[in-house]
Amino acid sequence: AQTVTQSQPEMSVQEAETVTLSCTYDTSESDYYLFWYKQPPSRQMILVIRQEAYKQQNATENRFSVNFQKAAKSFSLKISDSQLGDAAMYFCAYTGTVDSNYQLIWGAGTKLIIKP
Amino acid sequence: DAGVTQSPTHLIKTRGQQVTLRCSPKSGHDTVSWYQQALGQGPQFIFQYYEEEERQRGNFPDRFSGHQFPNYSSELNVNALLLGDSALYLCASSILPTVTGELFFGEGSRLTVL
């Protein structure tokens, strides 16, 4: 069965600094997708960034980028120039094209605190 | 453009009761997925509805059931409530069942079982 692990329950960073959130996963599938979602206090999950496993190039969305290491099954999120609005729970999620089709498998989340 | 809307936002029930949660998908979306998020945890997939049928189901007992209507809206029903059913229930919509994870989420329904 596929699993997603986030080993950092909480991280804090000074405003305008850079922070990296860690995620590892386990799967036997070769074709899959990885995501980072943000959940602010409003509770609504918002997609931050997506990575397709067959693409070697790391995904980037403005201040957000990932370090995707397929062999190590690692998928970290880097947030540059942190802003107060980045404070939220961040969840790493996985979906495969075979065994976990149609459903997202989630990590336990990392709470990100931004210090002004 | 209305996003995913869920109702009610909060509700309190007692053990053994039944509850119905509702979800209207984002305009143009035809697929609805339901997730349970216990406090301090990541979401767990309950099931997905497409073309008014349950297409995929997670590891949840039969007490959890659902329905999708012709207008694509959906309901989640939970019977014989247990204390452990207390959680945030998230609805997500998409265009077709998708493996790409392009889901749009509602703000959830917070269920407390006493």
Side-chain angles (χ1 to χ4, degrees), chain B residues 84-110:
Chain B
D85 295 331
S86 295
L88 179 67
Y89 288 85
L90 296 169
C91 171
S93 73
S94 60
I95 300 173
L96 301 176
T98 174
V99 299
T100 65
E102 295 187 48
L103 302 179
F104 289 80
F105 285 82
E107 294 187 355
S109 294
R110 171 76 68 190

Side-chain angles (χ1 to χ4, degrees), chain A residues 46-83:
Chain A
I46 301 167
L47 179 64
V48 174
I49 199 164
R50 177 183 64 162
Q51 175 77 43
E52 298 167 54
Y54 64 86
K55 289 187 176 180
Q56 292 187 340
Q57 186 173 6
N58 289 326
T60 299
E61 290 286 344
N62 300 314
R63 298 183 293 107
F64 299 87
S65 61
V66 298
N67 184 4
F68 174 47
Q69 302 290 327
K70 191 172 183 178
K73 295 180 181 175
S74 172
F75 182 61
S76 61
L77 174 70
K78 185 172 81 171
I79 305 174
S80 303
D81 185 26
S82 298
Q83 300 175 2

Side-chain angles (χ1 to χ4, degrees), chain A residues 33 35 37 39 42-45 50 91 95-97 99 101-104 106-108, chain B residues 9-10 35 37 42-43 45 48 56 88 97 99-103 105-108 110:
Chain A
Y33 297 78
F35 312 86
Y37 276 87
Q39 187 178 40
S42 68
R43 311 183 314 200
Q44 184 179 25
M45 287 284 188
R50 177 183 64 162
F91 291 92
T95 190
T97 56
D99 294 339
N101 207 13
Y102 301 148
Q103 59 177 287
L104 286 171
W106 303 74
Chain B
T9 55
H10 296 84
Y35 289 83
Q37 186 179 15
F45 176 77
Q48 181 186 71
Q56 190 86 351
L88 179 67
V99 299
T100 65
E102 295 187 48
L103 302 179
F105 285 82
E107 294 187 355
R110 171 76 68 190

Side-chain angles (χ1 to χ4, degrees), chain A residues 5 11 15 17 23 27 29 38 43 52 55 85 88:
Chain A
T5 301
M11 292 283 286
E15 191 177 4
E17 297 294 310
C23 172
T27 183
E29 297 180 288
K38 169 185 178 181
R43 311 183 314 200
E52 298 167 54
K55 289 187 176 180

Side-chain angles (χ1 to χ4, degrees), chain B residues 35-55:
Chain B
Y35 289 83
Q36 181 196 63
Q37 186 179 15
L39 193 62
Q41 298 183 21
Q44 298 285 322
F45 176 77
I46 303 175
F47 43 52
Q48 181 186 71
Y49 277 85
Y50 171 65
E51 292 186 330
E52 301 180 47
E53 291 187 6
E54 183 182 293
R55 295 290 175 158

Side-chain angles (χ1 to χ4, degrees), chain B residues 6-78:
Chain B
Q6 292 186 243
S7 64
T9 55
H10 296 84
L11 68 166
I12 300 173
K13 294 285 187 178
T14 57
R15 281 178 296 175
Q17 284 189 313
Q18 179 264 346
V19 68
T20 297
L21 308 178
R22 296 175 177 83
C23 172
S24 293
K26 179 180 170 63
S27 178
H29 287 191
D30 57 10
T31 303
V32 173
S33 301
W34 287 92
Y35 289 83
Q36 181 196 63
Q37 186 179 15
L39 193 62
Q41 298 183 21
Q44 298 285 322
F45 176 77
I46 303 175
F47 43 52
Q48 181 186 71
Y49 277 85
Y50 171 65
E51 292 186 330
E52 301 180 47
E53 291 187 6
E54 183 182 293
R55 295 290 175 158
Q56 190 86 351
R57 188 178 183 93
N59 188 26
F60 278 80
D62 292 344
R63 298 186 298 108
F64 290 77
S65 63
H67 188 77
Q68 185 179 36
F69 299 93
N71 66 354
Y72 308 122
S73 67
S74 177
E75 288 182 350
L76 164 64
N77 301 292
V78 187

